[in-house]
Amino acid sequence: MPSHNADIAAIFEKIADLLEIEGANPFRIRAYRNAARIIGELSVEAYALMEKEEDLTGIPGIGRDLSAKIKEIVTTNRCSLLDRLRTELPPAVTELLKVPGLGPKRVRHLYHDLDVQTVEQLYCAARDGRIRALPGFGEKTELNILQAVEAHADQVSRFKLAVAAQYAEALRSYLVAAPGVMKVTVAGSYRRMRETVGDLDIVITAAEPRPVMQYFISYDEVAEILAAGGTRASVILTCGLQVDLRVVAEESYGAALHYFTGSKSHNIAVRYIAQKRGLKINEYGVYRDGARIAGESEESVYRAVGLSYIPPELRENRGEIVLARAKRLPQLVELGDLRGDLHAHTKATDGHNTLREMALAAKRHGWEYLAITDHSRQLAVARGLDPLRLARQCEEIDALNEELEGIILLKGIEVDILEDGSLDLPDHVLAKLDLVVGAVHSKFELSRARQTERILRAMQHPNFTILAHPGGRLIQQRPPCDIDMARVIREAGRRGCFLELNAQPERLDLLDTYCQMAREEGVLVSVNSDAHSTFDFDNLRFGIGQARRGWLEKKNILNTRSLGELQILINRTMERPARLRHRDEQNNHDSLAPRAR
Ligand code: DGT
Ligand code: CA
Ligand code: CA
């Protein structure tokens, strides 16, 4: 089995970590970090590109040297550079970098002075008071380390949904070829599209369970077999992900799928309803007085307890059961409902593709429109646009819109929201654009009061359209900013602006519970890719998953609108008299011709 993108990314990260602990050249370290990000987020597997004999240097950001390393990893499952670095430093040391507060310099000291190589050893050294004596550490640092290790312990073992997807999809395609197999479904939190996944739970139907079990544990990514019985097995894959597998009879498939999809609290609530109706429910079926009355499909299970079918993303016991009983569940949005994307970057800043490449890729997705929203000047690391470069980009967009058929590029910006809530470009510049996407990229640590005021003030700008990645969190890397999101959502409703659900796998921000809140307040959410390359549009499926977890329907999503409807909605972002707003709302129901461009 060739290496997955996530494996390649992990190797590049490990190389960068080891180089960093060694104190190597920062540019070299950055090159590996970038490569890890690019490969990790790439939606096509590198090995699949190689099988098609495509040149890996065609992947934006991957040069000849990195391309050779990727080939080496894919074909040999190893990397000679990493092997060499490992002879100089124990690889486990890189785990220490993940403990908040520990940088490469400190890790170097811990290793050389105390021979600390693992997180457990770190914990012991802190607990025994050996760390405070090291130069540059002290008692307070030691206490921080102790607390950080404790908090860190329950985080690291989960996988981001997009990463789990790589392993789950490869394993699933292996399993469908197992002897006598009929159905294979990855259930659990993965099927519910949770943003991180603890382990994979797979439900299978097959004529004979035994050969399937044998076939499963022979998968060449299996590193350890925890249990293997007649109908169930648990293994750990080489990437560290646990997989629990169950083979069930065809007649129990629905009941098993329901049970293993969870969530646990949803299951408990459904079982309670069953009991009140005098029914017994378990992973084999639904029973009345010992006789099976349902279980072959999930629909039959729900029907037996008087509920309509509940999509997996809603099964969190957050009110879905009451609605299912009343047959009033939301009609959840689907990927195919999107008519465009309102947040994308190009080579002009930190994206990897040209305007034209992005436009053509958007067209291939079948969309009507794509908003180009490169960074503004404040974000120097991304070579953000100043008014002049933005004006030039707008001219290029006009020319492309003249030339290209079947796709419209919208002129936008991802403008930095500065510390005081002002926007990073002059008003007259912002006023000329089709839309303004505002984002926080600095000062994440402001107090709740100041952070909230900052965002509210930004949204008061007459041209403000969409608040990008509202919480600012990066999954497992950076906690969300402290913001009164309920106030932000209400203000967005009052101002007629919108919130983004950013589909980047490490963001998935707006959180699902805030999506629910936005829905209740009537604030539309824009599910955006924040694409930095043409590949990134494929991440929208994870964004849609999160939107569905947040109960959003097609009508709650801004970019399910036709271009004509969209333009009316985004022109409304200025403060307008209630009389006009009312008229706009009426107009929204009609599909109007696009505004002259
Ligand atoms: P994860 O793996 O932590 O991301 O989350 P899940 O939801 O996949 O949880 P997991 O793998 O422990 O269990 C898979 C499903 O099995 C879970 O969603 C519901 C079901 N399940 C597990 N334990 C129990 C239980 O004690 N009672 C009930 N009713 N269901 C359970
Ligand atoms: Ca699971
Ligand atoms: Ca499990």
Side-chain angles (χ1 to χ4, degrees), residues 278-293:
L279 302 173
K280 184 171 171 268
I281 185 167
N282 60 26
E283 65 257 56
Y284 302 102
V286 185
Y287 302 85
R288 186 190 303 281
D289 305 326
R292 259 177 65 94
I293 59 162

PDB file of all heavy atoms in Angstrom, residues 278-293:
ATOM      1  N   GLY A 278     -42.838   0.212  24.796  1.00  0.00           N
ATOM      2  CA  GLY A 278     -42.793  -1.221  25.077  1.00  0.00           C
ATOM      3  C   GLY A 278     -41.898  -1.992  24.111  1.00  0.00           C
ATOM      4  O   GLY A 278     -42.082  -3.191  23.896  1.00  0.00           O
ATOM      5  N   LEU A 279     -40.904  -1.298  23.519  1.00  0.00           N
ATOM      6  CA  LEU A 279     -40.012  -1.958  22.553  1.00  0.00           C
ATOM      7  C   LEU A 279     -38.620  -2.103  23.154  1.00  0.00           C
ATOM      8  O   LEU A 279     -38.227  -1.338  24.040  1.00  0.00           O
ATOM      9  CB  LEU A 279     -39.916  -1.135  21.272  1.00  0.00           C
ATOM     10  CG  LEU A 279     -41.229  -0.843  20.541  1.00  0.00           C
ATOM     11  CD1 LEU A 279     -40.986   0.114  19.388  1.00  0.00           C
ATOM     12  CD2 LEU A 279     -41.850  -2.136  20.044  1.00  0.00           C
ATOM     13  N   LYS A 280     -37.879  -3.062  22.599  1.00  0.00           N
ATOM     14  CA  LYS A 280     -36.481  -3.208  22.996  1.00  0.00           C
ATOM     15  C   LYS A 280     -35.641  -2.936  21.754  1.00  0.00           C
ATOM     16  O   LYS A 280     -35.967  -3.412  20.661  1.00  0.00           O
ATOM     17  CB  LYS A 280     -36.264  -4.640  23.499  1.00  0.00           C
ATOM     18  CG  LYS A 280     -34.881  -4.902  24.027  1.00  0.00           C
ATOM     19  CD  LYS A 280     -34.808  -6.265  24.714  1.00  0.00           C
ATOM     20  CE  LYS A 280     -33.382  -6.603  25.051  1.00  0.00           C
ATOM     21  NZ  LYS A 280     -32.655  -7.359  24.077  1.00  0.00           N
ATOM     22  N   ILE A 281     -34.570  -2.150  21.915  1.00  0.00           N
ATOM     23  CA  ILE A 281     -33.759  -1.807  20.737  1.00  0.00           C
ATOM     24  C   ILE A 281     -32.293  -2.087  21.064  1.00  0.00           C
ATOM     25  O   ILE A 281     -31.810  -1.772  22.142  1.00  0.00           O
ATOM     26  CB  ILE A 281     -34.003  -0.332  20.348  1.00  0.00           C
ATOM     27  CG1 ILE A 281     -33.283   0.057  19.060  1.00  0.00           C
ATOM     28  CG2 ILE A 281     -33.618   0.624  21.443  1.00  0.00           C
ATOM     29  CD1 ILE A 281     -33.752   1.399  18.504  1.00  0.00           C
ATOM     30  N   ASN A 282     -31.613  -2.768  20.156  1.00  0.00           N
ATOM     31  CA  ASN A 282     -30.166  -2.967  20.323  1.00  0.00           C
ATOM     32  C   ASN A 282     -29.523  -3.031  18.935  1.00  0.00           C
ATOM     33  O   ASN A 282     -30.178  -2.728  17.942  1.00  0.00           O
ATOM     34  CB  ASN A 282     -29.880  -4.234  21.145  1.00  0.00           C
ATOM     35  CG  ASN A 282     -30.435  -5.485  20.491  1.00  0.00           C
ATOM     36  OD1 ASN A 282     -30.600  -5.543  19.262  1.00  0.00           O
ATOM     37  ND2 ASN A 282     -30.736  -6.488  21.305  1.00  0.00           N
ATOM     38  N   GLU A 283     -28.259  -3.432  18.884  1.00  0.00           N
ATOM     39  CA  GLU A 283     -27.574  -3.366  17.587  1.00  0.00           C
ATOM     40  C   GLU A 283     -28.018  -4.456  16.601  1.00  0.00           C
ATOM     41  O   GLU A 283     -27.549  -4.495  15.471  1.00  0.00           O
ATOM     42  CB  GLU A 283     -26.060  -3.352  17.753  1.00  0.00           C
ATOM     43  CG  GLU A 283     -25.467  -4.606  18.347  1.00  0.00           C
ATOM     44  CD  GLU A 283     -25.086  -4.439  19.811  1.00  0.00           C
ATOM     45  OE1 GLU A 283     -25.963  -4.066  20.621  1.00  0.00           O
ATOM     46  OE2 GLU A 283     -23.919  -4.708  20.136  1.00  0.00           O
ATOM     47  N   TYR A 284     -28.939  -5.343  17.058  1.00  0.00           N
ATOM     48  CA  TYR A 284     -29.431  -6.390  16.148  1.00  0.00           C
ATOM     49  C   TYR A 284     -30.809  -6.088  15.582  1.00  0.00           C
ATOM     50  O   TYR A 284     -31.186  -6.627  14.549  1.00  0.00           O
ATOM     51  CB  TYR A 284     -29.442  -7.745  16.860  1.00  0.00           C
ATOM     52  CG  TYR A 284     -28.069  -8.121  17.364  1.00  0.00           C
ATOM     53  CD1 TYR A 284     -27.735  -7.986  18.704  1.00  0.00           C
ATOM     54  CD2 TYR A 284     -27.088  -8.546  16.463  1.00  0.00           C
ATOM     55  CE1 TYR A 284     -26.454  -8.280  19.156  1.00  0.00           C
ATOM     56  CE2 TYR A 284     -25.812  -8.852  16.909  1.00  0.00           C
ATOM     57  CZ  TYR A 284     -25.501  -8.712  18.254  1.00  0.00           C
ATOM     58  OH  TYR A 284     -24.234  -9.013  18.675  1.00  0.00           O
ATOM     59  N   GLY A 285     -31.570  -5.239  16.276  1.00  0.00           N
ATOM     60  CA  GLY A 285     -32.898  -4.944  15.767  1.00  0.00           C
ATOM     61  C   GLY A 285     -33.771  -4.270  16.807  1.00  0.00           C
ATOM     62  O   GLY A 285     -33.311  -3.925  17.900  1.00  0.00           O
ATOM     63  N   VAL A 286     -35.053  -4.100  16.425  1.00  0.00           N
ATOM     64  CA  VAL A 286     -36.051  -3.576  17.351  1.00  0.00           C
ATOM     65  C   VAL A 286     -37.031  -4.725  17.612  1.00  0.00           C
ATOM     66  O   VAL A 286     -37.459  -5.388  16.667  1.00  0.00           O
ATOM     67  CB  VAL A 286     -36.797  -2.368  16.744  1.00  0.00           C
ATOM     68  CG1 VAL A 286     -37.746  -1.751  17.774  1.00  0.00           C
ATOM     69  CG2 VAL A 286     -35.809  -1.323  16.226  1.00  0.00           C
ATOM     70  N   TYR A 287     -37.363  -4.950  18.887  1.00  0.00           N
ATOM     71  CA  TYR A 287     -38.139  -6.139  19.269  1.00  0.00           C
ATOM     72  C   TYR A 287     -39.372  -5.754  20.078  1.00  0.00           C
ATOM     73  O   TYR A 287     -39.306  -4.853  20.924  1.00  0.00           O
ATOM     74  CB  TYR A 287     -37.278  -7.097  20.103  1.00  0.00           C
ATOM     75  CG  TYR A 287     -36.027  -7.547  19.370  1.00  0.00           C
ATOM     76  CD1 TYR A 287     -34.876  -6.766  19.406  1.00  0.00           C
ATOM     77  CD2 TYR A 287     -36.022  -8.737  18.643  1.00  0.00           C
ATOM     78  CE1 TYR A 287     -33.732  -7.152  18.728  1.00  0.00           C
ATOM     79  CE2 TYR A 287     -34.882  -9.132  17.962  1.00  0.00           C
ATOM     80  CZ  TYR A 287     -33.733  -8.342  18.005  1.00  0.00           C
ATOM     81  OH  TYR A 287     -32.613  -8.725  17.331  1.00  0.00           O
ATOM     82  N   ARG A 288     -40.483  -6.448  19.801  1.00  0.00           N
ATOM     83  CA  ARG A 288     -41.661  -6.369  20.672  1.00  0.00           C
ATOM     84  C   ARG A 288     -41.948  -7.785  21.172  1.00  0.00           C
ATOM     85  O   ARG A 288     -42.119  -8.696  20.361  1.00  0.00           O
ATOM     86  CB  ARG A 288     -42.872  -5.824  19.890  1.00  0.00           C
ATOM     87  CG  ARG A 288     -44.089  -5.584  20.804  1.00  0.00           C
ATOM     88  CD  ARG A 288     -45.355  -5.291  20.007  1.00  0.00           C
ATOM     89  NE  ARG A 288     -45.238  -4.138  19.107  1.00  0.00           N
ATOM     90  CZ  ARG A 288     -45.321  -2.856  19.491  1.00  0.00           C
ATOM     91  NH1 ARG A 288     -45.519  -2.568  20.761  1.00  0.00           N
ATOM     92  NH2 ARG A 288     -45.219  -1.899  18.615  1.00  0.00           N
ATOM     93  N   ASP A 289     -41.937  -7.943  22.473  1.00  0.00           N
ATOM     94  CA  ASP A 289     -42.164  -9.256  23.097  1.00  0.00           C
ATOM     95  C   ASP A 289     -41.272 -10.329  22.470  1.00  0.00           C
ATOM     96  O   ASP A 289     -41.742 -11.416  22.114  1.00  0.00           O
ATOM     97  CB  ASP A 289     -43.640  -9.672  22.964  1.00  0.00           C
ATOM     98  CG  ASP A 289     -44.579  -8.613  23.530  1.00  0.00           C
ATOM     99  OD1 ASP A 289     -44.181  -7.964  24.519  1.00  0.00           O
ATOM    100  OD2 ASP A 289     -45.678  -8.428  22.968  1.00  0.00           O
ATOM    101  N   GLY A 290     -40.025  -9.978  22.266  1.00  0.00           N
ATOM    102  CA  GLY A 290     -39.080 -10.968  21.741  1.00  0.00           C
ATOM    103  C   GLY A 290     -39.132 -11.149  20.234  1.00  0.00           C
ATOM    104  O   GLY A 290     -38.279 -11.830  19.673  1.00  0.00           O
ATOM    105  N   ALA A 291     -40.106 -10.537  19.566  1.00  0.00           N
ATOM    106  CA  ALA A 291     -40.204 -10.701  18.107  1.00  0.00           C
ATOM    107  C   ALA A 291     -39.604  -9.475  17.408  1.00  0.00           C
ATOM    108  O   ALA A 291     -39.893  -8.340  17.798  1.00  0.00           O
ATOM    109  CB  ALA A 291     -41.661 -10.887  17.693  1.00  0.00           C
ATOM    110  N   ARG A 292     -38.785  -9.743  16.398  1.00  0.00           N
ATOM    111  CA  ARG A 292     -38.162  -8.637  15.657  1.00  0.00           C
ATOM    112  C   ARG A 292     -39.207  -7.899  14.844  1.00  0.00           C
ATOM    113  O   ARG A 292     -39.935  -8.489  14.053  1.00  0.00           O
ATOM    114  CB  ARG A 292     -37.146  -9.214  14.667  1.00  0.00           C
ATOM    115  CG  ARG A 292     -35.716  -9.139  15.091  1.00  0.00           C
ATOM    116  CD  ARG A 292     -34.884  -9.830  14.024  1.00  0.00           C
ATOM    117  NE  ARG A 292     -35.011  -9.053  12.792  1.00  0.00           N
ATOM    118  CZ  ARG A 292     -34.151  -8.126  12.451  1.00  0.00           C
ATOM    119  NH1 ARG A 292     -33.121  -7.852  13.190  1.00  0.00           N
ATOM    120  NH2 ARG A 292     -34.331  -7.461  11.335  1.00  0.00           N
ATOM    121  N   ILE A 293     -39.244  -6.556  14.992  1.00  0.00           N
ATOM    122  CA  ILE A 293     -40.180  -5.814  14.149  1.00  0.00           C
ATOM    123  C   ILE A 293     -39.458  -4.862  13.199  1.00  0.00           C
ATOM    124  O   ILE A 293     -40.071  -4.305  12.300  1.00  0.00           O
ATOM    125  CB  ILE A 293     -41.225  -5.029  14.989  1.00  0.00           C
ATOM    126  CG1 ILE A 293     -40.525  -4.040  15.920  1.00  0.00           C
ATOM    127  CG2 ILE A 293     -42.102  -5.992  15.795  1.00  0.00           C
ATOM    128  CD1 ILE A 293     -41.478  -2.961  16.431  1.00  0.00           C
TER     129      ILE A 293
END
